Amino acid sequence: MLRISRLLKEVYYPRPQTESHGKSGLVVIWNLTNRCNLSCPHCYASAKSKEGTGELSTEEAKKVINDLAHQAVLVLILSGGEPIMRKDFYELAHYAMEKGISCALSTNGTLINESHVKNILKSGIGYVGISIDGTQEKHDEFRGRQGAYTASLRAIRLCRDAGIKVGLRLSLTSYTAAGLPRVFDLFEQERLVKLYISHMNYSDKAANHIALEPTETRANMSFVVKKAMEYLNDESLFREIVTGNNDADGPFLLLSLKRQDRSSARKLYNLLMQTGGNGSGVQLTNIDPWGEVHPDPFCRNITLGNVRQKPFSQIWANPQHSLIISLRERKVPLNGRCGSCGFVNICGGNSRARAFAHSDDWWGSDPLCYLKDEEIFTP
């Protein structure tokens, strides 16, 4: 995840360092259920409309939350499927809040009404991300349901008007990329505080047909960076632009800044070195509906353990997989373009899931890196 707006603000308007928040820095994405009311072609969870079997029970989930509280996780992202289709969703979210865990909700928004908004407020969820993928027509087509756009936009407005921090989410694919300017327009018109743009990630090569070509991604990211710079100079409202699932965004932002201001680019380089790029298995992990722990939601072929057999804290502390050990030691013997890239220390090798899906090699190059050959050799 690249917090473009916050990085630019730190570069151009640095503030004194504040005290540590006392959190571990670990982000946990928890797919609470595999059930969903929509049918989207980019779904990494292969969510179904019918209730699945074998998902963690309420009591099992609470045991996981107890353990996560001891881990002092930075944030717990509650996802799915569609997480609010789980009957005990708000009970679990409220329980996590009582244990001192900051929670965010990732939802398609179509089921959220006034009653859900009250429950969100009561549960203590700090942020709600709702997906909008371009125009109404394209969104409904992409999400597989007529009326999805209207329902999601209504949910965004209900949350915003209730004082809940809510943001737009866009999955950047061949279906949706043309609607990127429209999503920015909506973001501005609704006076929202955050826009998260997710690149297409996948663990199955068959899914790459909806991913953008590198040249298309590059053009879209040029637009995103331009808008983030515009927002930086707008003192009326801080709008946060965040991107995810393509860690080439960090080097691309750096190169964009370098063309304008080398001094500012050096500051950004130092900040990017601190974050280290892709955090899968290092500062990011995933728990699936059945309790399996993965490095991230897309590396489904790697299972570190199951919370039914062993507490998450023990699984996380002693990962028995060579890829995770290497990622944590930053000794990643990457192959191909990634192996010769001068930006590996600030991108972290990008998506290992895409690399494996493309070449059956966990150390292979990420096929969706959109940097040019002449750029990757000279950071």
Side-chain angles (χ1 to χ4, degrees):
M1 182 180 292
L2 188 71
R3 300 184 180 277
I4 293 178
S5 299
R6 293 187 183 275
L7 285 168
L8 291 175
K9 192 172 183 180
E10 182 63 25
V11 167
Y12 289 102
Y13 307 107
R15 292 185 178 184
Q17 292 291 328
T18 57
E19 293 185 9
S20 172
H21 46 56
K23 299 290 186 178
S24 66
L26 178 62
V27 175
V28 179
I29 301 174
W30 192 354
N31 300 100
L32 284 171
T33 181
N34 206 50
R35 189 181 179 193
C36 188
N37 62 319
L38 300 183
S39 179
C40 310
H42 70 311
C43 181
Y44 64 83
S46 299
K48 310 295 183 184
S49 59
K50 295 182 179 180
E51 189 168 358
T53 58
E55 295 180 355
L56 295 178
S57 68
T58 302
E59 291 308 310
E60 287 174 325
K62 286 184 176 180
K63 287 181 180 179
V64 174
I65 291 170
N66 290 337
D67 193 45
L68 291 175
H70 290 299
Q71 290 288 103
V73 300
L74 181 64
V75 65
L76 177 60
I77 301 175
L78 304 174
S79 185
E82 174 48 54
I84 65 174
M85 290 185 75
R86 189 169 161 138
K87 293 179 181 179
D88 60 357
F89 172 76
Y90 292 111
E91 179 183 350
L92 294 176
H94 187 264
Y95 188 77
M97 178 195 69
E98 289 183 327
K99 296 297 180 180
I101 300 176
S102 298
C103 291
L105 168 59
S106 177
T107 173
N108 62 48
T110 57
L111 301 176
I112 292 178
N113 53 25
E114 290 85 351
S115 177
H116 280 285
V117 168
K118 290 178 182 178
N119 284 326
I120 290 170
L121 288 167
K122 288 179 182 177
S123 69
I125 291 171
Y127 174 76
V128 178
I130 298 178
S131 300
I132 292 287
D133 294 299
T135 63
Q136 180 173 344
E137 181 182 3
K138 273 294 181 183
H139 178 92
D140 288 356
E141 178 186 342
F142 187 64
R143 296 283 164 175
R145 177 184 161 189
Q146 190 172 1
Y149 178 94
T150 299
S152 296
L153 183 55
R154 179 173 181 267
I156 288 168
R157 290 169 175 169
L158 283 172
C159 290
R160 178 201 61 197
D161 294 346
I164 298 168
K165 185 178 180 182
V166 60
L168 287 181
R169 298 170 59 89
L170 167 70
S171 297
L172 196 62
T173 69
S174 58
Y175 279 73
T176 62
L180 181 63
R182 169 60 188 139
V183 170
F184 269 93
D185 289 343
L186 183 67
F187 177 61
E188 294 169 9
Q189 291 163 9
E190 298 295 328
R191 293 187 65 79
L192 300 174
V193 295
K194 186 174 179 179
L195 172 56
Y196 175 71
I197 299 161
S198 174
H199 297 268
M200 179 65 192
N201 207 349
Y202 53 86
S203 54
D204 183 351
K205 191 175 182 180
N208 71 357
H209 71 284
I210 64 171
L212 292 175
E213 293 295 326
T215 54
E216 296 173 310
T217 301
R218 191 179 181 94
N220 280 279
M221 281 306 300
S222 293
F223 179 79
V224 170
V225 171
K226 178 184 176 183
K227 295 298 289 187
M229 291 297 294
E230 288 178 10
Y231 295 154
L232 181 68
N233 299 315
D234 182 359
E235 298 180 357
S236 63
L237 177 68
F238 177 66
R239 298 186 178 97
E240 185 177 8
I241 306 301
V242 181
T243 63
N245 295 321
N246 195 325
D247 295 281
D249 291 349
F252 184 77
L253 179 63
L254 177 65
L255 291 167
S256 300
L257 218 60
K258 196 173 182 180
R259 287 190 288 269
Q260 304 173 28
D261 182 353
R262 286 184 171 269
S263 175
S264 296
R266 282 194 294 271
K267 294 178 184 177
L268 178 61
Y269 180 81
N270 292 332
L271 292 171
L272 291 171
M273 282 288 290
Q274 292 174 27
T275 59
N278 191 291
S280 297
V282 183
Q283 290 182 309
L284 173 68
T285 188
N286 167 248
I287 304 173
D288 72 21
W290 307 279
E292 301 286 351
V293 178
H294 309 282
D296 63 44
F298 307 97
C299 287
R300 291 298 177 98
N301 292 329
I302 297 179
T303 298
L304 306 180
N306 190 295
V307 296
R308 281 181 166 135
Q309 280 81 51
K310 188 185 294 186
F312 171 85
S313 55
Q314 294 182 25
I315 295 171
W316 190 247
N318 300 289
Q320 303 298 310
H321 197 285
S322 60
L323 176 68
I324 307 307
I325 295 170
S326 295
L327 288 172
R328 291 186 181 183
E329 293 176 348
R330 291 298 179 190
K331 296 178 180 178
V332 184
L334 298 174
N335 300 320
R337 290 179 83 243
C338 288
S340 56
C341 180
F343 289 115
V344 69
N345 287 334
I346 62 174
C347 110
N350 216 334
S351 171
R352 295 298 87 211
R354 281 195 301 254
F356 183 78
H358 185 72
S359 61
D360 291 329
D361 180 8
W362 287 114
W363 311 110
S365 291
D366 185 337
L368 294 194
C369 174
Y370 57 95
L371 300 180
K372 298 177 180 178
D373 285 344
E374 59 267 28
E375 292 173 335
I376 68 173
F377 302 123
T378 54

